[in-house]
Amino acid sequence: MAQAQGLGKKYIKAFLKGFFVAVPVTVTFLDRVACVARVEGASMQPSLNPGGRQASDVVLLNHWSIRNYDVQRGDIVSLVPSCGILLFLLLRITKAEENQCGRQ
């Protein structure tokens, strides 16, 4: 019986060590590198949610690639409103301002 209790403590200790390492790593990854979001509605058809299906599409929001603000016409970007609602707005870039060299 004492041996079983020692084995249980060992597993609990190993679980807690893994938990306290995995949670910060996962939160950092989802905040800085990429996260997954669900797309609902017809506003992004036909690219996302084609055919008006009832099922929603799942997209990967890549935080890493936007660090240089290198967006081009036709890219789909996500925005988070500042009002505190947990919601992502997906928009397609249709126009781009000219850069300093005069190219679009």
Side-chain angles (χ1 to χ4, degrees):
M1 186 70 155
Q3 196 175 34
Q5 286 179 344
L7 191 60
K9 284 184 180 181
K10 181 180 175 182
Y11 285 124
I12 290 173
K13 188 175 179 180
F15 171 78
L16 289 176
K17 278 185 178 179
F19 180 79
F20 287 120
V21 169
V23 169
V25 169
T26 303
V27 169
T28 302
F29 180 83
L30 293 175
D31 189 41
R32 299 290 178 190
V33 179
C35 67
V36 177
R38 189 175 65 215
V39 179
E40 297 175 343
S43 65
M44 293 302 291
Q45 286 179 350
S47 298
L48 300 173
N49 201 10
R53 301 184 315 222
Q54 294 297 329
S56 57
D57 283 347
V58 177
V59 294
L60 178 69
L61 302 176
N62 185 351
H63 302 286
W64 197 261
S65 67
I66 197 67
R67 292 198 185 272
N68 296 332
Y69 299 104
D70 186 26
V71 292
Q72 300 170 354
R73 188 176 297 148
D75 288 349
I76 297 175
V77 297
S78 64
L79 304 172
V80 179
S82 61
C83 60
I85 299 173
L86 185 58
L87 177 73
F88 293 105
L89 302 173
L90 291 178
L91 303 169
R92 182 182 307 278
I93 303 295
T94 57
K95 293 183 180 180
E97 290 186 20
E98 292 183 8
N99 62 13
Q100 294 175 352
C101 297
R103 294 179 293 168
Q104 285 188 343

